[in-house]
Amino acid sequence: MSGVVCRAASIALTGLHGTTVMVESAISQQLPGIAIIGLPDTSLAEAKLRVRTATAQVGMPLSDRFITVNLSPASLPKHGSGFDLAIALAALAASRHLPVTGLSEVAHLGELALDGELRRPAGLLSSAAAARSLGFRRVMVPESCGAEAALVPGIEVIAVRDLASAVGWYRGEPDRGRIVLASTSTAVPPARDLPGSAVDMADIVGQPEAVEAMVIAAAGRHHVSLLGPPGAGKTLLATRLPTLLPELADDAALEASSIASLGGSPLLELVRRPPFENPHHTASTASIIGGGQGIEVRPGAITRACHGVLFLDEAPEFPRTVLDALRQPLETGRIEIHRARIRTVLPAQVQLVLAANPCPCGNAGSPDTALRCKCTPRVRVNYQQRISGPLADRIDLRLTLHRVSKVLLDDPHERTPSSEELRERVAGARALAAARWADTPWSVNADVPGRWLRSARLRLPRADTAVLDHALARGALTLRGYDRALRVAWTVSDLAGKDRPRRPEVARALALRGGDFA
């Protein structure tokens, strides 16, 4: 059979972007051996040993001639063990162990064990979603993760236990694989999707203005900064923000689940709760933005928090380069990773929450003489300036918190509403916004470009925007800040059930941004 080229399809992932890889196998009249070409990395180049051993273990040894395996397109760097199944099937087809036809019409994903068993490769759900978008109607995966691949709608999943079962499927042998139906589960997501177990906004004591501001942030998906002394409740508020957010829609849930699948853990259902990421302030730029070594791209915290919340506690303690790296993705909703040999784009539609003390000792502004701040004015200014002006300009709500001075547990007027109660308000406001933006690409107020809000269709009367116009005229507000205040005003209006913002809503939006009316 020398000279016949057999092809089996697989998927190469670069971040979340998939590319069809055609695994070509041919036998030549040379000494026995296998060579894999087409820019494989180390783990992929080692597949030749796994494939030769596994095929022998299942009783289908490869040809005793030289087998060349080409990964096309040859110019695309490839990594990982997910190509093992496609390589094995192409080599077995070239060795006359199964029919040649049909292998190129199915995307094959799976890592081979030495005994022929198939294991889950990293990013299986992402690869299955990429296969669907690339036009494949079928995908073959290990039996242990068939349910995970079936989370992708619109594609038929063939689950096989081992290499022998995969070969038997193509030979037409009975009981050599099974079709996994698409999942329709609506089960409640596990508690690991929340920042903590049994957390609720009702845990907050006092701070009613801050709680209401978090409701506004959740309703419009606005960025928030929390400034206050230790113990004021900044972390409590930030970690409970995800409990106010509604469940993710199907497309967002699939994208969030695809990102989660890159971590290596199998998924049994789509991620429906908005993710929450809380990196430590010693995190590097690559761990926040994304990166990796060589040709492999790993998503950072901002991508893992996509469609959810990225919380940076003790924000001034983060390196300045890390904080400033957030500026572009906060505007565009995506991260562009550039390396010498590879380039990719990762999603980064996050809601950013920053928390900071007013100074290094945390006691600036305290009325208690025993807790008097010992920092000099210059130290306090330098500490707060660690968050650059361009990053601060992208923050919609800037809240200053104070320590709670009294605890009245029995007073019903002091009770903080539960997350469930507040989530109903958020859902109602988002429904109004979604109806308003139904004929646009956006669904929440934070995503709407400023030119739309200032267009003739949505432009507010001058009498209602006078406070914003005055702040812009005297340089207290940038044009970006003007647009962000308008978005917050629309959210405040939605929460109040009004058809559009008026002067009180606009004034409140400016006040929440930290502006004044002078």
Side-chain angles (χ1 to χ4, degrees), residues 153-194:
I155 193 167
E156 187 177 80
V157 178
I158 307 169
V160 291
R161 187 175 60 85
D162 51 23
L163 180 60
S165 299
V167 173
W169 172 271
Y170 282 105
R171 288 175 175 174
E173 299 175 4
D175 301 327
R176 282 298 197 171
R178 62 186 179 91
I179 303 297
V180 182
L181 300 178
S183 173
T184 57
S185 172
T186 57
V188 176
R192 68 173 183 274
D193 290 334
L194 296 175

Side-chain angles (χ1 to χ4, degrees), residues 308-386:
V309 177
L310 174 63
F311 175 42
L312 301 186
D313 201 2
E314 306 295 345
E317 301 295 340
F318 280 82
R320 181 70 174 265
T321 54
V322 172
L323 294 175
D324 284 344
L326 299 174
R327 288 153 52 178
Q328 182 181 357
L330 289 182
E331 288 290 329
T332 62
R334 62 180 188 171
I335 284 285
E336 295 190 13
I337 304 294
H338 292 262
R339 295 292 182 268
R341 299 174 59 191
I342 206 163
R343 174 188 177 277
T344 190
V345 177
L346 296 174
Q349 294 182 348
V350 299
Q351 187 170 1
L352 178 66
V353 180
L354 303 178
N357 293 322
C359 64
C361 76
N363 294 322
S366 174
D368 190 345
T369 56
L371 297 176
R372 183 175 299 169
C373 176
K374 299 178 176 59
C375 304
T376 64
R378 183 179 182 85
V379 169
R380 288 197 293 267
V381 170
N382 289 340
Y383 187 76
Q384 294 189 18
Q385 286 183 343
R386 292 183 183 180

